[in-house]
Amino acid sequence: MNAHAKTSKLDHEIAVVMRVVEQRTLAFMRDELGLSSTSVDRRTHHARSVVLRPITAIVGIGSRAGLYIAYSYDVGLIRAMTKRYTSGLGVGEDAEEIWIRETASDIVNVIVGNSTADLAKLGELVTLSPRSEERRVGKECRS
């Protein structure tokens, strides 16, 4: 197989994964959190570094392509998501930072985990490798 064919196949595999994860993300936000999206911002990077927001959860997908999916949350959004996600659990404000990190990770794991089932139906073999958040909500995030 020549280099162009390999690149085209890889681009196709990545596009399929992104489409499935995007659909699952929008459904989760709507069905579980009552949030609707006005737009979707997706990026593929071949660069060595990417600027991430203060709360970022990353999951590695071990498909033939092998890629990472990062959800980099706006601080106000992840705080609102955490309140909705943990409603009824009696979470105190003193534990908010912990619950924010847990919510960010759990949401990504649920979405990408469900996406793997969709990808398997499409004939894509995938495995998951969760990563912890890259940064924590700090003083600079409080407003």
Side-chain angles (χ1 to χ4, degrees):
M1 184 180 284
N2 66 33
H4 178 68
K6 285 181 182 178
T7 301
S8 293
K9 184 169 177 65
L10 177 61
D11 288 343
H12 172 74
E13 288 176 1
I14 291 171
V16 169
V17 170
M18 288 180 69
R19 185 180 73 243
V20 168
V21 171
E22 180 180 300
Q23 290 168 351
R24 278 290 183 169
T25 301
L26 294 173
F28 182 90
M29 295 298 193
R30 180 189 64 241
D31 299 342
E32 300 298 326
L33 299 174
L35 300 172
S36 61
S37 174
T38 56
S39 67
V40 175
D41 183 15
R42 85 179 70 82
R43 297 182 186 166
T44 56
H45 288 282
H46 298 286
R48 295 205 183 271
S49 65
V50 176
V51 177
L52 301 173
R53 292 182 174 137
I55 294 291
T56 297
I58 300 172
V59 175
I61 296 185
S63 67
R64 283 181 227 120
L67 56 99
Y68 291 99
I69 296 178
Y71 283 61
S72 197
Y73 297 93
D74 172 81
V75 173
L77 176 62
I78 191 59
R79 286 186 190 285
M81 291 169 68
T82 299
K83 285 181 183 171
R84 290 182 183 193
Y85 203 67
T86 60
S87 69
L89 295 180
V91 174
E93 287 188 31
D94 57 328
E96 182 183 28
E97 301 306 315
I98 294 168
W99 282 99
I100 285 172
R101 290 191 307 275
E102 292 300 319
T103 299
S105 292
D106 195 55
I107 287 173
V108 172
N109 287 333
V110 168
I111 291 169
V112 177
N114 287 330
S115 296
T116 61
D118 295 342
L119 290 165
K121 289 176 190 173
L122 296 172
E124 299 287 330
L125 179 62
V126 293
T127 57
L128 296 179
S129 176
R131 306 284 185 221
S132 61
E133 296 82 38
E134 294 296 312
R135 296 173 59 199
R136 301 169 81 171
V137 172
K139 293 177 184 174
E140 74 278 3
C141 302
R142 296 197 180 269
S143 52

